[in-house]
Every structure is written in C-alpha cells, then in structure tokens.
Amino acid sequence: MSVKVNDKYYAYSADNEIKDEGEYGGVVTTIMKYLLESGTVDAVLAVEEAFDLYDAKPVLITEPEDIIKSAGSLHCGTLNLAKFLTKYLDGARDFKVAVTCKPCDAMTIRELMRKGRIIEDNVVLVGVNCGGTLPPVPTMKMFKEVYGVDPANVAKEEIAKGKLIVETKDGEEKGIKIDELEEEGMGRRENCQRCDMNIPSNADLALGNWGVIGELAGKATFVEVFTEKGAEVLNNVIDEKLVETAEPIEKGIEIRDKINNVMVKQANKQKEKDFAGTTGDILDVLNMYKEEMSTCMKCYGCREACPLCYCEDCCLETEGPEWVPGGYTPAAPFFHLTRMVHMADACTNCGQCSEVCPCEIPVSKIWATVNNKVKEIFGYYSGVDNGDEPLPFTEFKLPDNR
Amino acid sequence: MVAKNVPKIEYVPTICPYCGTGCGLNFVVKDGKIIGVEPWKRHPVNEGKVCPKGNFGYEFINREDRLKTPLIKENGEFREASWDEALNLVANKLNEIKAEDPNKLGFYACARSPNENIYITQKFARVACGTHNVDHCARICHGPTVAGLATCFGSGAMTNGFDSIMEADVIFVIGANSMEAHPLFGRKLIKAKKNGAEIIVADPRYTPTAKLADKYLEFKTGTDVALMNGMMKLIIDNDLQDEEFIKARTENFDELKKVVSEYDIDKVCEITEADKERLTEITMDYAKAEKAAIVYSLGITEHSHGADNVMCTANLAMLTGNLGRIGTGVNPLRGQNNVQGACDMGALPSDYVGYRKVADQETTDWFNNYYGTDLPAKPGLTLIEMMNAAHAGDLKLLYIHGEDPVLSDADITHTKEAIANLDMLVVQELFMTDTAALADVVFPAAGWGEQEGTFTSGERRVQCLHKAQEPPGDAMLDWKIMEQLAIRMGEDAHPEQFHYETSEDIFNEIRECAPIMAGMDRKRLDSPEALHWPCPSEDDPCQPLMYAEKFSRPNGKAIFMPQEHRGPVEVTDDEYPLLLTTTRILFHYHAAMTRRCETLDNEVKTGYIEINTEDAKELGIIDKEIVKASSRRGSIEISARVTDNIKRGIVNIPMHFSECAANMLTNSKSLDPKCKMIELKACAIKVEKME
C-alpha cells in the first residue's frame, strides 16, 4: 500500500472489539495503539471521560491497552490540548507524543510549533472533525429543561444534519435543530459558532464520519491525509493489517464537502454578526467592549487558559513601572491591551478564555474581532500553513529589495 | 512498553480551600506532586471559572517552609522533636490539667479543614478531655448568622442555594462585597443582572460590588438596624407587607410593627447618614418585587450587635414574604471554605454535631451514651471567652488547629498577653504563623490536597475532596494526631473512640449522630453536584431550598425579632475621630496560605489604610504616604491609600498583613451578648502624619 498526501479513504479497524467500541470503526484508537506499540511515539495525549460524559479531562497514555478508555467523542470536551502539551509536557521537548486534536487544538499547536514552543518533529497530530463543542453545565441544564431528559440518563450525544441529537440509556432519541437552540442562547460554545475549520486540514491526518455512505455507513471513518508524516502513519497501520480501507464513494466525498461548506457558510454568517459595529482595530474594539471589560476581576484566568500566553515572566505581573497596578480591580484596560498586543495575531478562536472568565466577558469574541482584522490587513491566518508569511506582530513583511 | 522521560500526569478534582462559595477545580499532579490547577468545567457551582485565589492558591502547597516535623520550644527557641516526644509531652499536660479541671482546657477547631477533622477535634475536646470548650472562627465571622437566623427560622444557615439568586427580580446586598469576597457568587449577581434583576448595594465603601449595582446606598458603619427598621416602617406605612405570608407563616408581627414605628425616615437618615430619596427608592424596589433576595456577609455580622443586624434581615424577608421560594431568601455568604462545616460538626461550645444542643439534658444523655462519656449539659466557653480566660489566668492550655488568632482576633496585644499566660500553647499548622511562633509545641499537619474528606460550602453543599499527594516530611493527618494523643492519654481519654480506618468511616459516624446529614450516601455525595443538607434520608433529594412549606422552629412558623438601634460599642470622639472598619481583599484569604503563594503575594505585598480624599486632605496626607494609625489598643505604621471609594469619616484596613495589622487597633471588649461576636468592623482610631 502506498498512501500519499491528499489521499482519502474509508477506513475501519481490523480488530472487532475496537471497531465496535470506538467511534465509527475505531480508527483513531487503532492508530494510537499502533503508534505506542511500535515505539513511534512514547505517549498519546487524548481526552477521556472523568466523572461522566459532561466531564472531559486530558489523559497522557503510555500503555497501549489504555487507549481504548479514551475512545469515543465527548462533545462536552471543550478543553484545548495545546495548553496541556505546552505547559505540562514541556512542548514535547523530551519525548514523542501523538495528540488527538480538534481543529482548534491543531491550529493552536501549529502556532506554538511556529514559535518554537512545541517541537514539531516530536508530535503526530491525529485530527478529528469537529462541528463544535458544548459547555458542560449549561448543556446539562438544556437537556433537562428543553429536551426533558435527565442528564444522568444520557448515553450519547451527536451533532448530525444540523441537529443536536440525544440518545438516552433506555435507547430513546431526541433531536433539536442546533439553529433553534443557539437562537435561544444555548447549544455550542460561542466561539464554536463562528469557527470555520471543521476538518483539521492542518493536522497530519483528519478523521471523521462525514461522507461515509453505503455499506460502511456508521461502521467506518473518512480519513484524509494532509502531510508526509500522516501518510507514513496510515501506510504503516494498513501494512500491519491493523486497519482496512476502501475507496470512498464519490457521492460520499461530495456530501462531506457539502456539509463542510454549509457549516463554513454558517460560521461566516455568525462572524459577520460577531464582528459588526466595529472596525476591528484594537482601540475601536477596546472602546466597544469597555463596559464588559470593566468588570474584570483580574483572576488571570484568560492568560492561564490561553495556550498562546506562555511567557514565564509575564509583564502583567512586573513590579515596575506599574502598567497594571497590583491589587486593583477592575483590572486596568492595559491588562487586556497587553494581552491583545502580545497574541491577538496568533489567536485561534479556541474559546478557552471566555470559558474561564468569571465576569462573563466575551474574551474570545473580542480577540477574534481583532484577529479578523489581522487576517484582513496582513493576510496571516493563524493555525494553518502560511508559507513564508511572517507573524504580523513578530516581523515586518517588507519587499525584498536585494 | 517502557516510555522514557514521560511524566505521570493526572487531574484530581478538588474543592477550593478559600471562601465559602465552594468552587471545584482540578489539581494537576505530576509524578506525585501538585504542580498546578486546571479548570473543572463540569462543576455546577463555578463551571471551571475561578478567582485569582483559585488560579494561584495552590502555590503554597510544596513550599520549603512547610512544617515537616513536630517542634518543641526550649529556652525560647524551637527544636525539632520526634512525634513520640511531642505527643507524649502534650498528652501528659492534657492529663495534668484535665485532672485539675477539664474546663481549663480550650480547643480551636480549624474551619478550613475537612469536616472529618473538625468532627474529631470537637470529639477530642469532649470525649478525650471532658470539656465543651471547643469553638472556631465562625465566632468572629458568621456566629451572629447562626444565632440570629436560628432564632427567627429555627436553623442558622443560608435559606436558599447559590443558583437561586439568578432568579431574583431585586437583590438587596448589604454588608457584602461579593466581587472580592465570594467572586464566583459575584458572578451569579452579574448573571442575575443580565437576566434583568435590579442589584441594590448598601455599603459604607464604594466596593467593586457596589460598582456593578443599579442603585448604591452609602451609609454609616454600625447603623444597619436603624437602616432596616426604617425600611420596614416605610414598607408598613405604604401597606406593602405580605399579609398572607405574615398571617400563615410567622409570629410576633405586632411587636415588630410597634418597634419599627419609631424609625421614621428622617430619624433614620440622621443616624445612618443615608440619602433619604435613595433609601426610599430601594425600599420600594425591594418591597414591590415579585421575588426579592437579601444577600449579606461580614459587613453586618462583625459588630457588637451582629445578631441584631441578622435578625433585621430576617424580619425584612418575613415582612415581604420573600422566603421559601427560588429567587428570594436570606443569603448569608459564609467566609471560610468549611466554616459551615465547622458549625455543622459541632465545633461549638453550645452544640454537638448537627446543631444538637448541649444544654438539652436529653441530648447530652444521648451523646454520653453514644460516646461512653459523662459530659455535663452545660455549654463551654467561646473563642473570645477562652482567650479572656487565658488572659485572666483561668485557662491553662489552648490547642489551636489551623487558626491564627494573633493575626485575626481583635486587639493583638490582648491576644499575645493571653497566650503568654498559658501553661501550654499547642498549635497544629501548615506553616510557622504568628500564632505558631508563640507555641510551646507545634504539630505539622497535612493540608489541602493531602487528604480525603469533605467540605461544606455556604449553601450547605457537602462536597468530597480527593487526595492528590502525600503530605511533606512527617506531617500527619489531623484526626490521626488526635488519635495518637488519646492513646497516650490513656483509658480515660477513650482512645478506642478515635480509631478509624478511613475518613469515610468518620463521615459515617457523623451521619449517625446528625440527622441533617443522615441521608448522605457516598455514591450521591461523591459527584460534582454532591448533596445539600438537610438530607434526612437516602431517598430525600437533599436540595438547597429551605422553608418552602414550613420553618425549622418547633411550631413550623418563623418569628419576627424586632431590634433597637444600638450602634458600635466604641464611638468616635475628638481624640479618635475616625471609624475603622476591617475587610478582606480579593487576592488574599487571610495570610498563612495566600501570602505564601508567589503570584498572589506579588499582586498585593503589604497592607494599606483606605482614607477618603477629603479626610486625607484635611490631615495633609497623600497617596502611598506612610502614616501612623492608632487606637486605644495600639498603633501601627501603614501606607495610605487615598480614595473616593469610602465614606467620609470611615477608614478601612484589610486584615491580612501582620506587619501593619488591623487588629492592633480593634476592640476586643465589644462582645455581642447574643453570640459573643466582637466588633471587628467598628472602632475609633486616629490617623496622623509620621513625624
């Protein structure tokens, strides 16, 4: 078998247990197991259920038989693994790791690789499609009040054909259109609603269930290869007879593209709404959101949660001059301006900042508004391959007049 | 498969050890050591969000200066000792004094420690040492709440859950600065406001919480009874009281009507210095609302008339029928992470676990039977009384668990004199605090993250903690230390009563003795939602709302307890013209732990005195100038923070910083007779320029 970049396949595990337990054929599980067993990586960074399916936690797996525990998608898994990788695993400096990543995980990891904070050679990015994640506590409330289902009785949740479908442990199913839910302020996280990357084309491989039709519907995964590294990995698992593949049905490829396009279109519509009323320039944005930002209690949560905020000696805490006076709340506007100026060019809209803000400041939306302007002016798209484009705040792009 | 250089990392869920909101967060444990925290988004109270203490409050855990071995003081200096030596020394002394008179012993329980430790502390005092002299810091915090609300409603706790506030139409916040003291409850105020609620804040300081109010009322410290009586008269005069509720569910309305009839608005505004129009407005808003909630905290309890203040809030709620429904209620915000638990566990001279009364002979008989003891049905001494008894030479030994009275009790000079008078001071601690430094024997204790157990938050939610790492050095679990002491004290100390395999065994005993927690089975308890008391049986849903049908008094009705305005014990005069209040700030929770957290210490390194711009001008003081603040008790040098955010005539010193300690100035002779609270929030001082 000779897998190449841009190849597309239907794939499924050759191991029946994994095929049944895993999501749509268990290919992610099989790949991760293989990467560990073969010594290609020393560890796998994945997401696992902690207390229940609303409680996701990162897990660093070193034993292949533990991989199966992280199988299955957790729609309430809203965390960004780039933070864990950088902060607690030292950016994979000392060992090789494979990471299951949503598009926003992958985007953030790519930015950090660009800045040398994560060692690209030591990381395999096994990407999974994502249509958006759900905040745990509001989602439980929504299941109870809108779906009429006891959250403890939910076995599985699924986003398909524009609906959020809930399946209970008794086998009952109920689906409601995501649009309707989101109009009422429920549904996916705010940042997810404007996210235009559903297929992680910046990972080494991308896996998902869109476009799998025919005999293998529900039993296989749609795999797309994006890098040489990804091609080699897929090649190996096929050669080792751990994964079986089939040519994707042409119509299935079309369906996958269509679903993606529809979602991107929706995201762009949301962006228009989100970015309306401001030029997107930093000062204009600061002025537009000053009321929200003026409630900031200086918990530093946004900085702590942001994977791109990694300065060991953060200037928000320096002794002098006192840019942001210690001990005063609300935090000075300079607190937010400083963070903006440091990383708004690289912001990947992962939404961690908004999620942790105790004052309900829409941090992610504010940063995305500025980042949108960065895209417009500098043509730099964080998280994807920008070729030789310099990071806008790091380097001027000047004509080469040699 | 051997993985090289790959650390073992896991998340261990826990509950924050600082304030009474009870936020959940995840410890990050790397190769057996806590190295950080990460959001626990699944947690129902705070949904992964925390205040700065939540983010950085773990930084003290693995510091070098954690106490790791027992210490014995010899010739004024500490030396390391083995557990055997230190435990024997203390056990012998306990026996010696117990033989003389067990009531010459005193015990402070730790309101930050898990319920299991606290239960054992009071059990140790009672069962091993034969005394009811056990108390904890609620005495100087929400003791008035416990006393006041128990009198009016039959139970001394918050009447609703935290989430209830988001359904309110009007929220009356008095003497509470939630955005700094209970930030993740403050978040619920923000959400309530987004939901259309009107937020009213009454405070002598224009705090961050006042800043988010729709209506702010500035008024004078120590005049809360007059203020609220004035509000009640206005309500009655305008016929806005809830007649149906009053008739069906309360008693003693006529007495209330009589007392408040004297508090006409002009007289009230004179006493409180509040703006008449604003006061009238907020009263009408509160009274006319469909669902109105009262939120209060130490601003009204830390007074010589704290219990009176609390009963006025209860009166207001009863008058307008704002009890027993979501979005209403009387909502005291408990301070420490487990001070609710400390009260629940009976670390009180007047109560056994579950608020069962010592003074009731039948109850004491029950416990004597259960423990195999012979305790009298006579309550013991409170914190303050113990310290005063030590001062007078009547109390010989104090055993203090995880509390720093030298910093946090009023009148530090008095506290130090009292301690010097003791035959022995035993301190069980994580760090060498100001109090530990004065001890004869120091026991190193296991702390947050180093033990299993439960905390009870201010909304009566009992939550499980999980052990994430081993304690440092030879530090031991509190309850095991006490077991060891009991063993060494011998048969009369009933050591067999202190033997448990796990902390869960202790919890099960608590369930046997406290009907309010009887139904707390481990499966339901060890979940993010956990369980609220009252939880009488395993079938009961154990939900937070109280008094939907009836109150906890024997006849099921609440009772109006009208109060007369008394004001602070120490008033200002020509010599000491400024009224000092003391507060907490957002970035620190007292001192022992947060001042040892690098990031929090960096944020606020030392203290200051807040002084109104006009007052400062008169005194010729500028911002950041070091000034001298003095009272009848003592004086300190402290940096001035000149601001418009405090009422003229009032000054404020946050109490965290021993180098400029607020309590050098406060008055310990200002007891609330109803609950022995001291007036930490009002005393007379003067401020002068340094020579």
Side-chain angles (χ1 to χ4, degrees):
Chain A
M1 182 91 201
S2 185
V3 174
K4 287 183 294 300
V5 176
N6 294 325
D7 277 359
K8 301 181 171 86
Y9 302 95
Y10 286 168
Y12 50 93
S13 177
D15 175 326
N16 279 325
E17 195 203 332
I18 297 181
K19 188 175 173 194
D20 291 331
E21 183 95 29
E23 193 97 334
Y24 300 99
V27 180
V28 174
T29 308
T30 308
I31 289 176
M32 292 310 203
K33 240 186 130 199
Y34 162 75
L35 290 171
L36 263 186
E37 275 166 349
S38 61
T40 313
V41 300
D42 303 302
V44 168
L45 179 58
V47 172
E48 212 175 70
E49 205 180 282
F51 180 76
D52 58 20
L53 55 80
Y54 308 101
D55 190 10
K57 63 173 181 185
V59 61
L60 189 65
I61 303 173
T62 51
E63 299 303 319
E65 60 264 21
D66 290 337
I67 297 279
I68 193 98
K69 290 190 219 156
S70 68
S73 58
L74 288 168
H75 284 90
C76 290
T78 61
L79 59 153
N80 186 335
L81 287 174
K83 184 83 202 188
F84 194 91
L85 186 52
T86 318
K87 189 169 180 183
Y88 301 114
L89 301 183
D90 204 15
R93 216 159 292 272
D94 297 327
F95 56 88
K96 294 189 195 286
V97 62
V99 185
T100 48
C101 44
K102 312 188 293 301
C104 54
D105 297 317
M107 282 197 270
T108 320
I109 293 174
R110 286 289 180 211
E111 277 304 305
L112 288 160
M113 284 175 177
R114 228 205 128 107
K115 295 183 188 221
R117 301 298 297 188
I118 295 179
I119 308 302
E120 183 166 354
D121 284 347
N122 286 351
V123 179
V124 179
L125 293 177
V126 180
V128 291
N129 290 2
C130 176
T133 53
L134 308 162
V137 175
T139 298
M140 290 172 71
K141 188 163 183 249
M142 178 180 73
F143 285 167
K144 185 164 168 212
E145 291 174 10
V146 179
Y147 283 72
V149 167
D150 178 4
N153 198 22
V154 172
K156 199 166 131 89
E157 76 290 306
E158 173 88 57
I159 299 179
K161 296 194 169 68
K163 285 195 184 166
L164 174 57
I165 302 165
V166 166
E167 196 184 299
T168 66
K169 289 177 182 163
D170 324 309
E172 273 182 52
E173 241 187 54
K174 182 161 182 183
I176 300 181
K177 291 188 93 190
I178 286 252
D179 285 354
E180 281 172 25
L181 294 168
E182 284 171 7
E183 236 145 78
E184 299 297 313
M186 297 180 282
R188 296 168 299 165
R189 291 188 298 148
E190 192 264 344
N191 61 297
C192 295
Q193 294 180 33
R194 65 172 160 270
C195 174
D196 60 9
M197 189 188 247
N198 310 295
I199 299 171
S201 51
N202 54 356
D204 294 306
L205 297 164
L207 298 97
N209 66 342
W210 297 343
V212 183
I213 56 175
E215 290 185 336
L216 288 171
K219 301 195 199 120
T221 304
F222 195 117
V223 186
E224 190 172 349
V225 181
F226 290 107
T227 65
E228 292 292 346
K229 195 189 286 183
E232 195 183 326
V233 169
L234 190 59
N235 215 23
N236 290 344
V237 289
I238 294 169
D239 281 352
E240 298 281 326
K241 302 203 181 348
L242 298 167
V243 163
E244 289 174 27
T245 56
E247 277 295 307
I249 299 172
E250 194 60 41
K251 185 115 200 302
I253 300 180
E254 276 171 37
I255 288 175
R256 180 171 177 265
D257 285 343
K258 188 161 170 227
I259 295 175
N260 191 42
N261 290 338
V262 164
M263 296 195 72
V264 170
K265 211 160 138 195
Q266 276 179 331
N268 287 334
K269 246 172 58 186
Q270 187 63 43
K271 276 196 232 183
E272 261 180 56
K273 263 197 252 169
D274 290 341
F275 304 151
T278 168
T279 63
D281 286 301
I282 284 184
L283 294 179
D284 199 59
V285 171
L286 180 72
N287 194 43
M288 177 168 167
Y289 286 102
K290 63 175 183 277
E291 212 181 291
E292 285 94 332
M293 289 200 255
S294 71
T295 61
C296 170
M297 73 160 79
K298 219 178 172 202
C299 70
Y300 290 94
C302 49
R303 182 196 73 176
E304 290 299 298
C306 177
L308 295 164
C309 263
Y310 53 72
C311 294
E312 303 257 340
D313 203 357
C314 177
C315 67
L316 295 174
E317 293 178 68
T318 53
E319 276 206 41
E322 289 203 342
W323 300 111
V324 185
Y328 284 85
T329 56
F334 211 59
F335 182 98
H336 309 285
L337 269 176
T338 305
R339 279 220 329 120
M340 246 187 242
V341 161
H342 279 187
M343 46 69 62
D345 60 340
C347 175
T348 56
N349 189 41
C350 76
Q352 300 306 299
C353 47
S354 283
E355 258 193 294
V356 300
C357 178
C359 299
E360 305 292 302
I361 301 168
V363 189
S364 178
K365 182 155 76 164
I366 297 170
W367 260 244
T369 309
V370 174
N371 183 259
N372 188 50
K373 194 76 181 177
V374 167
K375 288 185 168 80
E376 266 176 42
I377 296 181
F378 296 99
Y380 182 84
Y381 289 74
S382 42
V384 299
D385 189 0
N386 285 274
D388 288 329
E389 290 293 307
L391 266 160
F393 294 178
T394 310
E395 210 184 310
F396 287 112
K397 181 177 158 196
L398 298 170
D400 191 338
N401 61 359
R402 283 172 290 181
Chain B
M1 194 74 228
V2 174
K4 58 185 200 297
N5 301 328
V6 181
K8 184 162 185 297
I9 300 193
E10 52 170 354
Y11 279 17
V12 175
T14 189
I15 305 298
C16 185
Y18 292 109
C19 88
T21 306
C23 296
L25 36 81
N26 277 316
F27 277 130
V28 181
V29 186
K30 187 170 181 175
D31 294 327
K33 276 247 168 324
I34 296 168
I35 56 157
V37 295
E38 286 289 318
W40 186 13
K41 297 174 184 174
R42 169 68 177 81
H43 197 269
V45 173
N46 61 311
E47 304 179 48
K49 301 158 193 265
V50 290
C51 75
K53 296 185 296 294
N55 274 323
F56 307 112
Y58 72 90
E59 289 172 350
F60 74 85
I61 296 177
N62 287 313
R63 269 177 65 119
E64 261 313 298
D65 59 341
R66 276 290 294 274
L67 296 172
K68 298 184 180 85
T69 72
L71 299 167
I72 292 178
K73 190 166 278 167
E74 221 152 71
N75 302 320
E77 298 259 323
F78 279 119
R79 63 163 176 88
E80 286 183 6
S82 67
W83 272 109
D84 265 338
E85 190 190 348
L87 288 165
N88 284 334
L89 185 64
V90 175
N92 290 337
K93 197 67 176 176
L94 285 168
N95 272 341
E96 185 191 309
I97 300 174
K98 179 184 171 188
E100 207 182 303
D101 176 3
N103 290 318
K104 293 192 171 175
L105 300 168
F107 297 84
Y108 281 29
C110 175
R112 299 277 271 277
S113 208
N115 286 317
E116 292 75 3
N117 288 339
I118 302 171
Y119 175 75
I120 296 299
T121 305
Q122 63 85 35
K123 191 178 182 185
F124 185 80
R126 294 182 157 118
V127 175
C129 300
T131 177
H132 290 298
N133 289 352
V134 59
D135 202 4
H136 67 280
C137 61
R139 190 65 48 193
I140 55 171
C141 171
H142 270 285
T145 294
V146 181
L149 295 186
T151 306
C152 293
F153 301 145
S155 176
M158 185 168 176
T159 63
N160 292 46
F162 289 143
D163 276 354
S164 157
I165 208 79
M166 295 190 284
E167 306 286 321
D169 299 305
V170 170
I171 304 172
F172 176 44
V173 181
I174 179 166
N177 179 14
S178 306
M179 290 312 292
E180 286 198 84
H182 298 89
L184 271 299
F185 178 80
R187 169 175 174 253
K188 294 188 199 278
L189 292 177
I190 292 177
K191 291 184 83 156
K193 196 172 168 182
K194 286 201 168 120
N195 250 359
E198 179 187 316
I199 315 272
I200 300 166
V201 174
D203 201 306
R205 299 170 62 228
Y206 189 52
T207 61
T209 310
K211 285 179 183 150
L212 74 85
D214 294 289
K215 298 198 174 137
Y216 166 62
L217 180 77
E218 186 190 76
F219 75 110
K220 190 174 168 191
T221 303
T223 62
D224 310 76
V225 170
L227 188 82
M228 286 187 271
N229 279 356
M231 288 173 74
M232 286 188 266
K233 176 172 195 289
L234 266 175
I235 292 171
I236 294 172
D237 286 348
N238 283 278
D239 204 24
L240 288 168
Q241 70 273 22
D242 188 332
E243 284 292 354
E244 216 180 290
F245 186 89
I246 294 169
K247 213 195 236 141
R249 305 204 51 196
T250 70
E251 301 181 310
N252 208 28
F253 175 62
D254 291 329
E255 190 57 36
L256 179 89
K257 199 166 164 186
K258 193 163 125 216
V259 170
V260 305
S261 67
E262 305 289 322
Y263 287 82
D264 70 82
I265 188 104
D266 290 310
K267 173 171 157 192
V268 163
C269 288
E270 207 189 303
I271 297 171
T272 62
E273 294 176 24
D275 176 73
K276 181 167 160 180
E277 205 181 300
R278 179 53 59 86
L279 178 58
T280 310
E281 234 178 85
I282 67 170
T283 306
M284 295 297 113
D285 290 349
Y286 176 81
K288 289 182 182 162
E290 170 74 32
K291 289 177 278 176
I294 298 173
V295 172
Y296 76 81
S297 197
L298 268 52
I300 72 166
T301 63
E302 280 186 336
H303 284 280
S304 58
H305 52 278
D308 298 358
N309 290 341
V310 169
M311 287 189 274
C312 283
T313 65
N315 291 342
L316 246 181
M318 283 185 266
L319 183 68
T320 52
N322 278 309
L323 286 160
R325 296 177 288 138
I326 306 275
T328 69
V330 175
N331 302 284
L333 301 175
R334 302 300 302 250
Q336 310 278 2
N337 60 310
N338 201 24
V339 69
Q340 180 68 56
C343 291
D344 301 345
M345 292 300 109
L348 296 164
S350 53
D351 297 39
Y352 297 103
V353 65
Y355 301 99
R356 300 175 65 184
K357 302 295 174 212
V358 167
D360 179 55
Q361 188 62 54
E362 225 178 281
T363 305
T364 290
D365 288 343
W366 190 98
F367 277 99
N368 277 333
N369 186 47
Y370 189 88
Y371 291 141
T373 49
D374 192 19
L375 292 157
K378 181 164 179 278
L381 298 173
T382 63
L383 265 195
I384 311 305
E385 290 167 322
M386 281 191 248
M387 206 50 96
N388 286 343
H391 200 270
D394 293 330
L395 197 86
K396 299 288 186 195
L397 183 151
L398 256 183
Y399 183 176
I400 297 180
H401 298 226
E403 167 107 5
D404 192 6
V406 171
L407 180 69
S408 41
D409 280 7
D411 195 352
I412 290 175
T413 311
H414 177 265
T415 308
K416 282 186 171 170
E417 284 167 7
I419 286 175
N421 244 2
L422 292 166
D423 283 5
M424 183 185 269
L425 173 65
V426 183
V427 174
Q428 198 154 296
E429 253 295 349
L430 306 181
F431 290 107
M432 186 57 68
T433 58
D434 289 349
T435 305
L438 300 179
D440 298 293
V441 181
V442 176
F443 291 143
W448 181 49
E450 297 162 357
Q451 53 194 310
E452 301 280 316
T454 53
F455 285 158
T456 305
S457 73
E459 57 168 348
R460 293 167 278 107
R461 193 192 296 254
V462 180
Q463 308 194 83
C464 288
L465 306 165
H466 301 99
K467 182 175 175 178
Q469 69 167 43
E470 292 300 327
D474 291 332
M476 234 207 272
L477 290 173
D478 286 49
W479 62 267
K480 288 213 169 172
I481 297 174
M482 288 181 272
E483 182 189 3
Q484 285 300 313
L485 281 172
I487 290 171
R488 288 148 207 273
M489 283 170 76
E491 213 185 315
D492 284 341
H494 306 272
E496 75 289 347
Q497 281 284 342
F498 295 91
H499 184 74
Y500 303 88
E501 294 301 322
T502 65
S503 67
E504 198 177 324
D505 294 334
I506 303 176
F507 193 83
N508 286 331
E509 181 174 318
I510 293 167
R511 287 177 66 189
E512 271 176 34
C513 300
I516 51 171
M517 291 169 70
M520 290 188 168
D521 58 296
R522 187 61 32 155
K523 179 153 190 287
R524 286 191 303 160
L525 193 69
D526 201 355
S527 69
E529 279 72 27
L531 292 167
H532 298 255
W533 65 255
C535 185
S537 74
E538 294 192 4
D539 303 318
D540 195 289
C542 306
Q543 285 306 292
L545 180 67
M546 290 178 82
Y547 310 139
E549 308 284 311
K550 59 182 170 78
F551 290 93
S552 298
R553 291 178 66 242
N555 67 359
K557 289 191 175 192
I559 184 166
F560 283 99
M561 295 295 292
Q563 307 296 327
E564 297 284 6
H565 162 72
R566 292 192 272 130
V569 163
E570 189 177 72
V571 295
T572 53
D573 54 32
D574 288 332
E575 205 192 338
Y576 297 102
L578 294 167
L579 197 63
L580 171 70
T581 186
T582 58
T583 55
R584 271 202 288 129
I585 64 174
L586 170 65
F587 296 93
H588 284 294
Y589 201 103
H590 297 208
M593 291 148 75
T594 58
R595 288 192 83 187
R596 290 181 170 84
C597 294
E598 203 183 319
T599 311
L600 298 170
D601 176 53
N602 185 53
E603 191 73 29
V604 187
K605 281 194 168 317
T606 189
Y608 49 85
I609 180 167
E610 278 184 351
I611 178 164
N612 178 279
T613 316
E614 296 301 315
D615 289 336
K617 212 186 274 180
E618 260 176 34
L619 292 164
I621 288 169
I622 61 168
D623 195 40
K624 295 199 173 64
E625 184 180 326
I626 307 289
V627 299
K628 185 170 171 199
S630 356
S631 75
R632 291 180 174 89
R633 270 71 54 191
S635 72
I636 56 174
E637 287 172 19
I638 187 167
S639 172
R641 186 183 280 197
V642 177
T643 173
D644 284 330
N645 293 342
I646 191 165
K647 189 167 159 47
R648 280 211 73 172
I650 318 272
V651 290
N652 167 41
I653 301 178
M655 49 69 74
H656 312 275
F657 307 100
S658 67
E659 65 273 19
C660 46
N663 283 320
M664 279 302 288
L665 309 175
T666 51
N667 183 9
S668 69
K669 299 204 196 322
S670 53
L671 285 188
D672 179 341
K674 294 186 174 84
C675 56
K676 311 289 191 277
M677 161 61 78
I678 37 169
E679 194 136 50
L680 286 164
K681 292 261 195 281
C683 70
I685 75 163
K686 64 178 172 188
V687 174
E688 306 160 289
K689 283 179 86 80
M690 300 284 294
E691 290 312 313

